[in-house]
Amino acid sequence: MGGERRVYWLGFGAMRLTGKGIWGEPRDHAEAIAVLRRALELGVTLIDTADSYGPAVSERLIAEALYPYPPELVIATKGGLERPGPDRWTPNGRPEHLRAACEGSLRRLKLERIELYQLHRIDPAVPLEDQLGTLRELQHQGKIRHIGLSEVPVADIERARQLVPIVSVQNRYNLVERRTTPEAEQVLDHCERAGIAFIPWFPLLAGDLAKPRGPVARVAGRLHATASQVALAWLLRRSPVMLPIPGTSRVRHLEENSAAALLDLSDQDFRELDRG
């Protein structure tokens, strides 16, 4: 990542550790802590979170479960969204907000520097130069190491790269929606050419492809795997810059998702899934 840090190619997304609507405390606090600790036991070296998850709850849980952190662990977080209530998200890219968000994340995560800090959304009401300029200042101050983007088209990636180095892009991407959102494949291909890590969120969606006699179901049956494992295995084979971050609030689901990294798709399996 950024030519400096190696991470295992299947990370963990910590959004679902919070309460319903990504709001408040987890329903089962002990299970949330167990999920984070088990993730490290399974070899996860990248945990993705955000100040808006909870808000603040996800970051606090990570520190509670894992601090002091092992040296190989990269914690990526995000700023740039405010939470007026459950399932509600409002962009705020004002420099003063981004600075405060970063400082809050540093405190909650008990870090002196955040390895990957991502602009959660580009705020259309604030010049991009001001938003990324703030992150660049935080980078120069040693508070963040690398900068990433979330939910951006190719044009915005290129605009951003003229202002700061960008090491990651986190967009919604999965077997189903890559077909319904033409820009999805364009962004992934662009990241691959530029050597930018592509972090797909909501990676497990298989939809009608997982119905009986559908391609995901057929491949899962041949491999004695679940539909979710097949969807993840396809992502991992799709591109060398792919870094999925499946999230869950249950240890059992975490272990199931992690097993996808060991699933060996044949060329036939991959083509069948790719065709949909």
Side-chain angles (χ1 to χ4, degrees):
M1 181 172 292
E4 297 181 14
R5 289 296 301 269
R6 288 188 180 274
V7 292
Y8 184 57
W9 67 344
L10 191 61
F12 175 73
M15 182 176 75
R16 296 291 173 188
L17 294 179
T18 62
K20 186 178 180 181
I22 321 303
W23 187 264
E25 300 295 328
R27 183 175 61 179
D28 188 335
H29 179 271
E31 182 78 357
I33 296 298
V35 165
L36 288 162
R37 291 175 177 166
R38 182 63 175 141
L40 264 61
E41 292 173 353
L42 291 169
V44 167
T45 55
L46 174 78
I47 294 178
D48 178 85
T49 185
D51 70 329
S52 56
Y53 297 164
V57 174
S58 176
E59 292 179 331
R60 179 171 45 76
L61 289 170
I62 290 169
E64 179 183 345
L66 304 178
Y67 185 85
Y69 306 114
E72 67 274 12
L73 179 64
V74 171
I75 298 176
T77 193
K78 299 180 284 292
L81 287 178
E82 292 183 310
R83 301 296 309 283
D87 287 321
R88 297 176 63 193
W89 312 79
T90 304
N92 186 346
R94 296 193 303 273
E96 60 271 23
H97 173 77
L98 292 175
R99 283 191 288 267
C102 181
E103 294 288 355
S105 292
L106 285 166
R107 287 194 305 272
R108 285 186 292 273
L109 291 167
K110 300 182 180 180
L111 290 170
E112 294 183 0
R113 180 179 67 180
I114 295 166
E115 289 294 302
L116 175 59
Y117 195 81
Q118 302 156 97
L119 184 60
H120 212 156
R121 291 294 185 276
I122 293 176
D123 186 345
V126 179
L128 183 59
E129 292 80 2
D130 292 350
Q131 297 175 69
L132 292 179
T134 301
L135 299 190
R136 183 176 57 215
E137 290 173 9
L138 292 166
Q139 193 176 47
H140 290 165
Q141 293 167 8
K143 295 179 179 180
I144 62 179
R145 185 172 187 177
H146 295 299
I147 297 171
L149 301 171
S150 180
E151 281 305 292
V152 286
V154 170
D156 283 345
I157 298 171
E158 284 307 287
R159 285 175 61 209
R161 293 181 71 201
Q162 292 174 14
L163 301 169
V164 296
I166 298 297
V167 307
S168 68
V169 168
Q170 185 170 152
N171 279 14
R172 183 161 169 148
Y173 183 89
N174 48 61
L175 264 172
V176 175
E177 291 172 318
R178 71 190 182 101
R179 298 183 176 279
T180 58
T181 309
E183 180 88 325
E185 292 286 3
Q186 296 171 22
V187 170
L188 175 55
D189 291 341
H190 183 79
C191 287
E192 190 169 326
R193 289 192 299 270
I196 296 172
F198 184 83
I199 305 174
W201 64 276
F202 206 42
L204 300 181
L205 183 64
D208 290 345
L209 302 178
K211 288 184 176 180
R213 300 179 185 173
V216 172
R218 291 195 299 270
V219 173
R222 289 198 295 268
L223 298 178
H224 306 289
T226 67
S228 294
Q229 288 172 333
V230 168
L232 278 173
W234 179 86
L235 284 172
L236 290 170
R237 180 158 174 179
R238 169 64 180 81
S239 171
V241 300
M242 190 76 74
L243 181 53
I245 49 167
T248 179
S249 61
R250 297 294 175 189
V251 170
R252 178 175 61 83
H253 292 154
L254 170 71
E255 293 172 341
E256 177 184 305
N257 291 339
S258 296
L262 304 177
L263 206 60
D264 187 18
L265 294 181
S266 68
D267 291 342
Q268 176 189 343
D269 294 333
F270 181 79
R271 286 193 297 269
E272 188 172 348
L273 294 168
D274 207 42
R275 288 193 301 266

